[in-house]
């Protein structure tokens, strides 16, 4: 550690640059509060890049009677979709039905059915699925997304990759979301509304001094420390929320999180249509198989307890084999380890509600303000990507009383950067971009509009040929785009770019990624040198 810099007072200091920290920072900055956000690694480097990437109500939570959570999330799906039609899009889910599907035996619904219909022996009856889907269609006021329908799997493409025993399915709607881009765009919007966003900046301690907080951060690249002062602290540390309470801000709090690891595998594309599958297991669990990054299929997830947030979550061989075997129960052609090209794993920071199993623990969030010792701190427990905006609004409802005169709710319907167009205009935009920049391949044009929306034009600028975009790093990635990501989206390393700003890591070789990393490191060095002169 070397020099310590002292800063002036801000209203809010947010610990954690996952979706919840970034969402709260954006909402607060948009209301005129001064905000600093510190993230110890890259934005979305923990749970917020490792989700199944669905804006969904969570059909299976209905079996836990979590109707309020499901309703809140269902209403929110379309609010979010309209505000970010580049990074989010509607999906159809095909749920094949077979009589052997069973409940997880601890759900309230399975307990009730075991009492009133003991002869079902834990099987999930078709009428119950239809009832669940009826509620799913009607709880959340759909405008854009189509409702449920029945599918004959013996006809049509949905049944083609499946085993013959699956004859019937239900089809319903949810939405996709690029989770790590969502986080980055929230952080960027927060910065554009005045917030200071610090990445690779770890909060090492925070202490109450008189009526405010004194927070010490450490720059992970240089080791330099800095002291910040803030009237209020927000602990959005996700899996580290408990660690921050106990070892960084050292307050007494009875609340805690339960860490539940979930893993996914990515395989070569397993089938040829654009719908997803919702597979029910004989063990009561469910998994999804989702078309992913044009040429791949995403399969997940698992549920296992994880003790230590600092232990990097990884998809274990057992989890990988479990997912392959689960999917192989449905697909005619078995899914094998050889099909797996990548895997990832994340830790759900679930509010500890004392549930018996990881699958049963609530997915809803809890916000707790603690202001006994003078300056207040808001601790954020749990939450889903889908409810991040509502969570941020709820957080601000608790923050605003400490800052009288602050504006009210504003984020519903306000687009994220690049997202100011209508959901149905997406294909037209891809055509327009490809028409104006004739050197783009269809894959490239689509990728840019998905990532940047209307800002794809700003990324490409006045380029007339591919050469105008500078060095090419493979898989359509050019120096121009990297500069945009470094200037506007807080990217510092190749890993930030190829696994969180996009997923081109699936297409680039190790050597290509290393070359990109070197290029970015030289560029950062050059920029630092220029700033020092
Ligand atoms: C397998 C899996 C599948 C999921 N699928 C879905 C889904 O399909 N849909 C959905 O809606 N939700 C889903 N979720 C839930 C969702 O991903 C999480 O609820 C959400 O990402 C949590 O965000 P967060 O900001 O609270 O935590 P995180 O994203 O983990 O962010 C916390 C951040 O705090 C930082 N931090 C911690 N300590 C410090 C410190 N001392 N100083 C500075 N920074 C610090 C960390 O580096 C981290 O980046 C899924 C979760 C998992 C694990």
């Amino acid at each position: 550690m070397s020099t310590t810099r002292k800063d002036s007072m801000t209203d809010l200091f947010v610990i954690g640059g996952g979706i919840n920290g970034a969402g709260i920072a954006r909402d607060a900055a948009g209301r005129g509060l001064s905000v600093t956000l510190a993230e110890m690694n890259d934005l979305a480097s923990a749970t917020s890049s490792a989700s199944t990437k669905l804006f969904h109500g969570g059909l299976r939570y209905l079996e836990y009677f979590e109707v309020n959570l499901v309703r809140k999330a269902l209403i929110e799906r379309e609010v979010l979709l309209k505000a970010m039609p580049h990074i989010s899009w509607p999906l159809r889910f095909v749920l094949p039905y077979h009589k052997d599907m069973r409940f997880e035996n601890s759900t309230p619904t399975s307990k009730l059915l075991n009492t009133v219909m003991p002869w079902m022996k834990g099987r999930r009856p078709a009428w119950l699925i239809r009832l669940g889907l009826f509620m799913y269609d009607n709880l959340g006021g759909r405008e854009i997304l189509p409702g449920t329908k029945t599918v004959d799997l013996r006809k049509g493409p949905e049944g083609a990759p499946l085993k013959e025993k699956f004859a019937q399915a239900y089809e319903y709607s949810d939405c996709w979301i690029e989770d790590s881009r969502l986080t980055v765009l929230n952080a960027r919007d927060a910065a554009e509304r005045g917030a200071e966003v610090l990445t690779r900046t770890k909060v090492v301690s925070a202490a109450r001094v008189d009526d405010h907080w004194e927070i010490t951060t450490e720059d992970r690249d240089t080791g330099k420390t800095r002291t910040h002062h803030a009237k209020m602290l927000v602990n959005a540390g996700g899996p580290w929320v408990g660690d921050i309470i106990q070892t960084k801000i050292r307050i007494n709090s009875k609340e805690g999180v339960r860490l539940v690891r979930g893993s996914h595998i990515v395989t070569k594309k397993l089938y040829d249509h654009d719908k997803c599958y919702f597979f029910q297991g004989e063990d009561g669990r469910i998994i999804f198989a989702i078309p992913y990054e044009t040429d791949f299929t995403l399969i997940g997830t698992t549920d296992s307890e994880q003790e230590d947030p600092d232990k990097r979550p990884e998809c274990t061989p057992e989890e990988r084999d479990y997912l392959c075997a689960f999917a192989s129960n449905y697909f005619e052609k078995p899914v094998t380890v050889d099909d797996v090209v990548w895997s990832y794993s994340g830790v759900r920071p679930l509010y500890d509600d004392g549930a018996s199993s990881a699958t049963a623990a609530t997915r809803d969030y809890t916000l707790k303000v603690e202001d006994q010792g003078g300056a207040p701190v808001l601790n954020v427990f749990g939450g889903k990507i889908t409810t991040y905006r509502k969570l941020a609004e709820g957080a601000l409802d608790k923050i605003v009383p400490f800052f009288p005169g602050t504006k009210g709710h504003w984020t519903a319907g306000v687009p994220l950067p690049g997202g100011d167009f209508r959901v149905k205009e997406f294909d037209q935009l891809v055509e327009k971009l490809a028409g104006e920049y004739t050197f783009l391949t269809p894959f490239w044009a689509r990728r840019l509009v998905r990532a940047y929306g209307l800002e794809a034009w700003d990324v490409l600028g006045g380029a007339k040929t591919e050469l105008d975009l500078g060095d090419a790093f493979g898989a359509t990635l050019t120096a121009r785009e990297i500069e945009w990501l470094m200037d506007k989206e807080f990217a510092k390393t190749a890993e930030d770019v190829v696994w969180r700003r996009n997923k081109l890591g699936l297409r680039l070789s190790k050597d290509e990624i290393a070359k990109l990393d070197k290029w970015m490191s030289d560029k950062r060095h050059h920029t630092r040198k220029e700033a020092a002169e």
Side-chain angles (χ1 to χ4, degrees):
M1 285 193 198
S2 48
T3 49
T4 295
R5 185 175 133 189
K6 295 214 168 204
D7 281 32
S8 56
M9 181 82 71
T10 54
D11 294 325
L12 277 193
F13 189 99
V14 180
I15 309 176
I19 188 54
N20 289 329
I24 292 170
R26 176 191 187 224
D27 193 332
R31 298 184 198 217
L33 295 177
S34 57
V35 182
T36 299
L37 178 148
E39 162 54 50
M40 65 180 172
N41 296 311
D42 182 27
L43 295 165
S45 52
T47 316
S48 298
S49 57
S51 78
T52 311
K53 307 174 205 308
L54 301 178
F55 277 154
H56 64 159
L59 185 57
R60 75 176 188 82
Y61 308 142
L62 286 175
E63 286 185 1
Y64 292 90
F65 298 161
E66 292 234 35
V67 179
N68 271 339
L69 168 65
V70 177
R71 181 189 292 113
K72 188 164 55 183
L74 284 173
I75 295 170
E76 192 59 7
R77 273 184 323 189
E78 290 200 10
V79 175
L80 297 173
L81 176 63
K82 286 181 201 156
M84 52 196 86
H86 46 342
I87 58 168
S88 174
W89 56 92
L91 285 177
R92 293 292 282 169
F93 285 77
V94 176
L95 191 164
Y97 179 72
H98 191 261
K99 61 180 175 32
D100 289 340
M101 276 133 201
R102 284 171 199 275
F103 289 113
E104 207 227 348
N105 54 21
S106 67
T107 73
T109 310
S110 73
K111 284 181 185 157
L112 185 67
L113 248 89
N114 280 340
T115 313
V116 295
M117 296 171 71
W119 60 90
M120 288 301 288
K121 298 201 170 92
R123 288 196 200 95
R124 210 182 244 134
W127 63 262
L128 189 79
I129 297 177
R130 277 202 302 272
L131 176 67
L133 286 167
F134 176 80
M135 289 174 72
Y136 208 72
D137 267 355
N138 293 294
L139 275 173
R142 284 172 302 108
E143 281 175 29
I144 298 177
L145 300 174
T148 299
K149 65 172 193 178
T150 310
V151 180
D152 183 348
L153 292 175
R154 286 160 306 191
K155 301 175 191 157
E158 298 87 356
L162 302 182
K163 289 185 174 166
E164 233 170 71
K165 71 174 183 181
F166 299 105
Q168 198 206 340
Y170 304 101
E171 190 183 299
Y172 70 95
S173 292
D174 262 324
C175 296
W176 180 259
I177 176 63
E178 298 286 358
D179 53 4
S180 46
R181 291 206 57 72
L182 174 72
T183 308
V184 169
L185 291 183
N186 269 277
R188 194 184 132 198
D189 204 45
E192 283 170 6
R193 293 172 194 276
E196 182 184 27
V197 175
L198 303 167
T199 62
R200 290 183 170 72
T201 302
K202 181 171 185 171
V203 172
V204 287
S205 69
R208 285 180 166 122
V209 177
D210 304 325
D211 59 349
H212 70 274
W213 287 93
E214 190 171 283
I215 305 120
T216 306
T217 57
E218 184 189 316
D219 182 319
R220 305 286 296 266
D221 293 333
T222 62
K224 280 188 184 160
T225 57
R226 181 172 157 187
T227 307
H228 312 253
H229 300 272
K231 294 178 189 155
M232 186 166 181
L233 201 60
V234 174
N235 172 6
W240 290 267
V241 65
D243 169 69
I244 292 168
I245 289 173
Q246 281 144 29
T247 72
K248 307 292 183 289
I249 54 182
R250 297 165 192 275
I251 52 167
N252 277 329
S253 168
K254 286 191 271 330
E255 318 301 322
V257 277
R258 180 166 183 174
L259 303 182
V260 179
R261 190 178 71 246
S263 296
H264 292 82
I265 53 172
V266 174
T267 65
K268 287 172 271 178
K269 188 173 176 172
L270 295 176
Y271 56 89
D272 275 333
H273 59 80
D274 62 359
K275 294 179 184 170
C276 314
Y277 289 104
F278 178 115
F279 293 150
Q280 308 174 72
E282 287 168 14
D283 61 354
R285 293 203 69 262
I286 62 114
I287 60 164
F288 297 105
I290 303 173
Y292 188 54
E293 295 287 322
T294 316
D295 298 315
F296 304 91
T297 303
L298 176 67
I299 301 176
T301 174
T302 55
D303 275 316
S304 325
E305 300 284 347
Q306 168 111 354
E307 294 298 317
D308 179 4
D310 285 325
K311 184 167 176 259
R312 195 186 159 92
E314 275 176 7
C315 177
T316 62
E318 293 75 28
E319 286 175 304
R320 180 201 57 199
D321 293 348
Y322 170 82
L323 291 171
C324 287
F326 199 143
S328 300
N329 285 335
Y330 281 83
F331 287 118
E332 178 66 39
K333 188 168 172 293
V335 183
T336 70
V337 173
D338 291 340
D339 295 315
V340 178
V341 294
W342 186 52
S343 64
Y344 64 85
S345 192
V347 178
R348 301 176 181 89
L350 304 182
Y351 180 60
D352 193 353
D353 61 351
S356 54
S357 79
T359 316
T362 182
R363 264 57 177 168
D364 212 348
Y365 55 79
T366 297
L367 302 165
K368 294 271 172 168
V369 174
E370 199 273 314
D371 64 346
Q372 302 305 312
V377 53
L378 171 71
N379 292 308
V380 176
F381 302 94
K384 298 196 54 71
I385 298 269
T386 314
T387 48
Y388 90 93
R389 195 197 63 83
K390 290 298 285 179
L391 182 151
E393 262 181 5
L396 265 292
D397 287 346
K398 299 212 176 260
I399 291 167
V400 160
F402 296 98
F403 301 94
T406 306
K407 282 194 287 187
H409 296 182
W410 67 275
T411 52
V414 177
L416 284 177
D420 197 3
F421 63 94
R422 282 185 297 169
V423 178
K424 61 179 183 200
E425 286 169 351
F426 178 81
D427 287 330
Q428 282 159 256
L429 281 182
V430 177
E431 252 175 61
K432 187 164 182 281
L433 191 78
E436 289 174 30
Y437 295 91
T438 48
F439 58 87
L440 296 176
T441 59
F443 168 82
W444 194 355
R446 199 174 175 81
R447 181 179 78 73
L448 291 177
V449 181
R450 273 283 168 238
Y452 306 107
L454 295 175
E455 291 189 329
W457 278 261
D458 302 323
V459 175
L460 295 172
K464 297 275 178 275
T465 72
E466 198 173 335
L467 294 177
D468 294 335
L469 299 174
D471 289 357
F473 297 99
T476 71
L477 204 51
T478 62
R480 173 75 63 82
E481 188 176 350
I482 303 298
E483 275 161 359
W484 173 276
L485 293 174
M486 293 178 82
D487 287 351
K488 304 260 186 200
E489 296 197 4
F490 311 95
K492 291 192 175 163
T493 68
E495 192 189 313
D496 301 351
V497 170
V498 305
W499 294 116
R500 287 183 287 275
R501 304 308 180 277
N502 54 54
K503 290 290 183 292
L504 292 176
L506 288 167
R507 297 167 192 275
L508 292 167
S509 69
K510 272 193 181 143
D511 285 351
E512 285 172 322
I513 296 173
K515 189 177 148 214
L516 172 63
D517 205 46
K518 165 90 177 48
W519 190 92
M520 291 178 73
S521 158
D522 289 349
K523 176 129 190 106
R524 274 162 62 202
H525 184 72
H526 185 71
T527 313
R528 265 203 304 268
K529 223 170 113 195
E530 264 185 358
E533 281 166 9

